[in-house]
Every structure is written in structure tokens, then in C-alpha cells.
Amino acid sequence: MATTTSDHHMTATPVTSGRTFLRELEDRGAAFAHIGPNWFASVMGTGIVANAAALLPRQVAGLHEFAVGVWVIAAAWLITLTAITAVHWTRHTDNARAHASNPAMAPFYGAPPMALMTVGAGTLLVGHDVIGMPAAIVVAFVLWTLGTLGGLASSALVPYWLFTRHEVDVQHTFATWLMPVVPPMVSAATGAALIQHLPAGQAREAMLLACYAMFGLSLLASLVIITLVWGRLAYEKTGPVATVPTLFIVLGPLGQSITAANLLGNQAHIAIAAPFSTGFQAMGVLYGAPVFGFAMLWLVIAAALVVRAAKQGMGFSLTWWSFTFPVGTVVTGTSLLATDTGLDALAWIAVGLYVLLLAAWVTAAVRTAHGALRTGTLLQAT
């Protein structure tokens, strides 16, 4: 079984020197024949670079402007990729429908909802500089609503397909199984900023508790899957080197849950009365600090396994985007812990992780552009 349909670099033939893949095609629509929901991970990975920059506890000159620029790129790429996906569904309907029955691709149905909410959150954080705050609030609410509905659907449907349709065994237990169940955690984190824009009273309290409910939904499902992934690594080892980067996805629910716990806790006082508001605020640090510890452990283990895979010949594929969004959520979670506790050590750890995020993002973006536009390897079927 193919581990993921993003491993196109292993089968494609390079184009003629001096020409690009797209120029070689007689039918440009054929370039979209094998576009899958996994491509939306590139929107997530780009958007989190902007969001993490805005939340860093240490700011430098030009960082805000950089964040705005990256948000513009993420928003433009989201629009473009949505249009490409529409072409894919229109002209290559059979391929599009086949993704649901592919156990390697189906988990990535969680990526489009997270891409929507990541860009929506960035609209409130930095995008208002471009479109104005009134428009930013509307865009954020729309993208959050669409992303939340899509994320709740993916968190139920994809596991259902896994339990009833997909044929898998222990060696095919990958961290990508987290993708469809993490979106509700993103809803919890990004929904926190929307609470203050709702009418006081029932609306705010309902939003707060709904976000905590989605926090729990995603957290418990993620803990089950992380346990399965740990077991698979212990009993079956790492498997194909092309899948090793996806181990970084485990950082996603960890970092995003720290982010959500702190953002929701900081908004609780405007939505619910004490002592619940005080408890929710304290939960940000009481939950976040221990989970931060496990996130650092997993980061070290996953990084070591990636280095090992690189020595074994791991090539580039879309799985490299796993180095971006998950790490970005750890940056935002660490940044909020640093802000809420005032601890300088956490602030500088957040800065260091952000530097790693930038390096991963630039690498993934450049290699993706080359593999899609220049050689076409990422646009061809395995």
C-alpha cells in the first residue's frame, strides 16, 4: 500500500532542460488530475508562520510586516488551491472521489478545514492591516464556521471509514491518522479570539463551552491515536522513510491544545462567571506546562528519526510540510505560556522554535514550487 499519494518524486520523469512541467503539458487541466486534500497542508504551514510571528513574546523590527506579508501569501494560496481543487473535482471526479476510499489520503480531509481556520485566525491577528478590522471580523467568523463544520465532519467520517471500509494493519498506523481529528482543536484555539466579538451573555458562554467541548473531542481522540503510533513504532519500527516526516504531526494536537487552553483561559472572564473563569484561566498553565514537556520529548525523538531517515535516502515529498504547522503550534503554545507566566526561558525557547519553523517553511515552499512547477513530480500519480 502506498503510504501517501504525495510521494510523487519517486516516479516522475523530469522535464526537458530549460522547460517547465506546465509548459510541456498540452492540457493544463491535466496538471490537477492528482491534486488531493493533502495539498492544503501547505496553506496550514504558511499561515502558521504568520500567526506564530504575531504571538511571539519577543518582537523585533519588521516582524509584524513580515507576518502580514506571509498572511497575504497564505490567503492567496488558499484561494488558488480552492480553485484548483474545484477544477480537480470537476474534471477529474473519479480521482477526487477515490480519495475517500484511500486509507493513505482520506485522513487529509482534515487539512482543508484547518487551512481555512488558520488563515481566518491570521486575518484577525495581522490581516486587519490589509482589509480593515470590520472586514477581518467577518472573514474570521466565516472561515471559522466553515472550518469548524468541515472539521467536525472529518473527525467523524474519516474514523468511520477507517472502522468500516479501509483495510489496514498495524504497520499502516501512521501519524496522519491525527489529521482528521485535530481540526476541532484548531476550532477551539481560533474560536477564542471570536468570543469578544459576540454579544455578551449566552452567546459568549455558549461559544466558550463549545470550544472547550471541541478541545476535549480532539484531545481524547488524539491521545488514542498517539498511543497507537507509539505502539506501531515500537513493534513495527519507522517503516518507509518517506513517511517519517509525518511523525511531526504528533506535535500538532500537543502544541495546538496548549495554545487553545491559554487563549480560551484568557477569554473566559468575559464569557463565564467565577470560579469557572478563574479555573479556566489557571488551566492554561496547569495543562500547558506538562504537555509542553511531552512535546519537547516528541520533538527530540521525531527529529532523531528524521535524521536517521535522511541518512537512509529520504527524498522530498509533500510530507515535509509536516515540519511546519505542527512545529508552529508548539511555537504559539510556548509563546502563550511565556506570556502568561512571564518566564524568559520559555520566551527564548519560542523564538528558537520559530527560527526552526522558518527554516522548515522556506525549505518546504521552495522544494514544493520546484516539484510542482519545474519538474512536475508532485503533480503526477504514483
Side-chain angles (χ1 to χ4, degrees):
M1 183 186 87
T3 55
T4 170
T5 55
S6 64
D7 301 325
H8 303 315
H9 68 283
M10 296 184 288
T11 59
T13 302
V15 299
T16 306
S17 178
R19 301 292 298 276
T20 65
F21 170 72
L22 292 179
R23 288 180 180 177
E24 292 282 342
L25 285 176
E26 294 182 4
D27 178 11
R28 298 293 175 85
F32 308 141
H34 305 290
I35 293 291
N38 55 332
W39 275 85
F40 282 88
S42 60
V43 178
M44 296 162 53
T46 302
I48 199 67
V49 171
N51 298 355
L55 294 175
L56 275 179
R58 297 289 183 269
Q59 295 285 314
V60 296
L63 184 60
H64 178 77
E65 290 74 16
F66 171 75
V68 173
V70 175
W71 173 82
V72 170
I73 294 173
W77 182 225
L78 174 63
I79 295 170
T80 302
L81 195 53
T82 301
I84 290 174
T85 301
V87 173
H88 173 69
W89 272 91
T90 302
R91 298 193 57 178
H92 308 283
T93 307
D94 290 342
N95 287 352
R97 288 178 175 173
H99 292 155
S101 59
N102 184 340
M105 182 60 75
F108 288 97
Y109 278 118
M114 288 190 282
L116 290 171
M117 291 184 286
T118 301
V119 173
T123 306
L124 277 183
L125 286 170
V126 297
H128 60 83
D129 284 1
V130 179
I131 65 175
M133 184 56 78
I137 294 172
V138 173
V139 170
F141 266 105
V142 170
L143 294 183
W144 183 86
T145 301
L146 293 175
T148 296
L149 293 175
L152 290 173
S154 73
S155 64
L157 285 175
V158 177
Y160 175 80
W161 294 336
L162 177 64
F163 301 159
T164 61
R165 300 180 185 178
H166 298 161
E167 295 294 333
V168 297
D169 52 35
V170 175
Q171 65 179 325
H172 297 139
T173 305
F174 297 112
T176 52
W177 287 12
L178 289 164
M179 291 292 291
V181 301
V182 172
M185 186 66 78
V186 180
S187 294
T190 56
L194 301 177
I195 294 175
Q196 63 182 303
H197 300 292
L198 290 170
Q202 289 283 315
R204 289 183 179 180
E205 185 174 354
M207 181 67 156
L208 178 72
L209 295 183
C211 285
Y212 273 113
M214 290 186 286
F215 175 98
L217 181 164
S218 182
L219 177 63
L220 295 178
S222 295
L223 290 178
V224 170
I225 296 170
I226 292 171
T227 302
L228 293 174
V229 171
W230 187 292
R232 193 267 295 176
L233 288 171
Y235 297 123
E236 301 290 338
K237 308 312 172 190
T238 57
V241 293
T243 68
V244 173
T246 64
L247 292 175
F248 271 70
I249 295 175
V250 171
L251 294 173
L254 300 177
Q256 196 68 285
S257 63
I258 299 172
T259 303
N262 282 274
L263 288 176
L264 288 171
N266 291 337
Q267 294 296 317
H269 69 281
I270 66 172
I272 196 169
F276 303 110
S277 59
T278 305
F280 281 139
Q281 185 171 21
M283 177 183 168
V285 175
L286 295 177
Y287 169 87
V291 176
F292 169 81
F294 182 72
M296 293 300 98
L297 170 65
W298 190 268
L299 177 62
V300 171
I301 293 174
L305 292 175
V306 166
V307 171
R308 179 174 177 271
K311 293 179 180 178
Q312 295 175 341
M314 179 185 71
F316 177 76
S317 71
L318 289 180
T319 60
W320 282 36
W321 282 99
S322 303
F323 300 139
T324 57
F325 185 81
V327 173
T329 67
V330 178
V331 174
T332 58
T334 307
S335 295
L336 290 166
L337 278 177
T339 300
D340 290 347
T341 63
L343 195 59
D344 290 338
L346 285 172
W348 289 113
I349 290 173
V351 171
L353 290 172
Y354 187 72
V355 172
L356 293 178
L357 170 62
L358 283 179
W361 174 62
V362 170
T363 301
V366 171
R367 296 292 296 272
T368 299
H370 183 266
L373 303 177
R374 177 67 182 175
T375 66
T377 54
L378 297 180
L379 298 176
Q380 299 180 34
T382 54

